[in-house]
Amino acid sequence: MSGWPQDAVVDALTEEWRVIDALLAELDGDQWLAPSNLPGWTVHDIVSHLIGTESLLSGIEPPSIDLDVHALPHVRNEIAAFNERWVEGLRRTPHADLLAHYREITASRTEALRSMTGADWDAETQTPVGLAPYGRFMRIRTFDCWMHELDIRDAVGIPGEEGGLRAETAFGEITSALGFVVGKRGKAPEGARITFELEGPLARSLHVSVDARATLVPELDGPATTTISMSSPLFTRIAGGRVHASDHRTDISLRGDTTVGTRVVDNLAFTI
């Protein structure tokens, strides 16, 4: 079975949309304008981005705008520029209308996903990670939407459950990148054995072995050379590029080769 079984991923993604819907329904006007930990974006802007991506997947073009989005300091690539066209195009939409728009596009996308055949689900398509099965794209969408739920919660101070089906599905995107992050970005040396000990709603042990290349493995073939311990909410936010490990030193425990451990956590972010 692949890492993106159709029924489970569709269930996780549509559940995520429902959770975000319920969260947005709680917000007052000021909370919609709360700045998020994404540069340049408020909660309103995050919702506009979610609408934009699902609209893209529905064949809907972004609104026409006059602003040169490439000139914005937080726009660093073409994907960000595309996202910003939706954010800017919907910026003046009243919050209630934006929520209605979100509900409309996610309902349409839910219907489309539920009607997909297995062949459609397995078909290769362009995704943020290059050509991949459509099902992999939808697991990426689950990750993206889940992270944006956390962004909204962090912005307005409304905590939520960070475990369950949607979190487990989204977390697969983080673990699939862990070998690359540890080996390429963290520059863990040949022979390194890295263990991440996570506590909290997504508690687990993750192991990366470096033999020619860094690879996520079920277990190590010897003692860990570096052990990194933290909560799963903090791990998620560092990996998602929302916060920096350097600002949370007291919340992260390192054992063994702490030089390697520090370098790994400081380069843990893998999102673009």
Side-chain angles (χ1 to χ4, degrees):
M1 179 181 293
S2 75
W4 40 90
Q6 185 170 355
D7 289 344
V9 172
V10 172
D11 285 348
L13 180 52
T14 55
E15 177 188 344
E16 183 57 55
W17 289 336
R18 289 193 298 271
V19 170
I20 293 174
D21 185 328
L23 172 59
L24 296 177
E26 293 185 49
L27 304 186
D28 61 29
D30 289 341
Q31 288 174 313
W32 277 88
L33 298 177
S36 75
N37 51 21
L38 297 171
W41 282 9
T42 64
V43 169
H44 187 286
D45 297 333
I46 291 172
V47 179
S48 298
H49 162 59
L50 293 173
I51 291 169
T53 303
E54 299 311 325
S55 296
L56 167 69
L57 294 172
S58 301
I60 301 170
E61 290 293 318
S64 297
I65 59 173
D66 297 326
L67 179 70
D68 178 10
V69 295
H70 293 87
L72 297 172
H74 57 277
V75 173
R76 298 192 295 266
N77 52 52
E78 287 305 313
I79 293 176
F82 173 84
N83 292 339
E84 207 66 31
R85 290 172 65 189
W86 277 98
V87 169
E88 184 61 29
L90 296 175
R91 191 178 299 283
R92 294 165 185 81
T93 303
H95 309 316
D97 292 346
L98 195 73
L99 179 53
H101 193 167
Y102 170 83
R103 287 170 171 166
E104 179 182 2
I105 193 62
T106 54
S108 174
R109 287 285 295 140
T110 297
E111 183 178 350
L113 289 170
R114 294 293 185 197
S115 65
M116 289 189 77
T117 66
D120 294 335
W121 187 257
D122 293 334
E124 295 280 303
T125 189
Q126 284 292 343
T127 80
V129 297
L131 274 178
Y134 193 86
R136 169 74 192 282
F137 195 1
M138 293 306 97
R139 192 179 76 170
I140 295 170
R141 290 301 306 133
T142 306
F143 167 77
D144 191 48
C145 293
W146 180 61
M147 288 300 304
H148 288 317
E149 178 203 336
L150 302 184
D151 292 332
I152 295 168
R153 291 190 183 282
D154 289 348
V156 300
I158 300 177
E161 172 56 52
E162 295 192 25
L165 173 63
R166 66 189 193 284
E168 292 288 348
T169 302
F171 205 73
E173 282 302 307
I174 299 178
T175 56
S176 69
L178 202 55
F180 168 80
V181 168
V182 168
K184 293 294 186 181
R185 296 193 176 178
K187 300 188 187 311
E190 180 73 17
R193 301 288 186 267
I194 313 291
T195 291
F196 294 86
E197 295 286 359
L198 305 183
E199 300 177 346
L202 292 169
R204 67 202 59 208
S205 297
L206 300 169
H207 308 288
V208 177
S209 178
V210 185
D211 296 295
R213 59 179 297 181
T215 305
L216 182 70
V217 295
E219 59 184 29
L220 299 176
D221 58 6
T225 57
T226 300
T227 300
I228 302 168
S229 303
M230 69 181 86
S231 70
S232 63
L234 179 57
F235 177 84
T236 295
R237 286 161 176 80
I238 295 174
R242 270 53 177 185
V243 301
H244 300 288
S246 58
D247 295 325
H248 293 271
R249 295 297 189 208
T250 59
D251 301 315
I252 302 170
S253 173
L254 302 177
R255 301 192 303 278
D257 190 332
T258 58
T259 298
V260 170
T262 299
R263 192 165 63 241
V264 166
V265 297
D266 284 347
N267 292 277
L268 194 56
F270 75 98
T271 56
I272 58 175

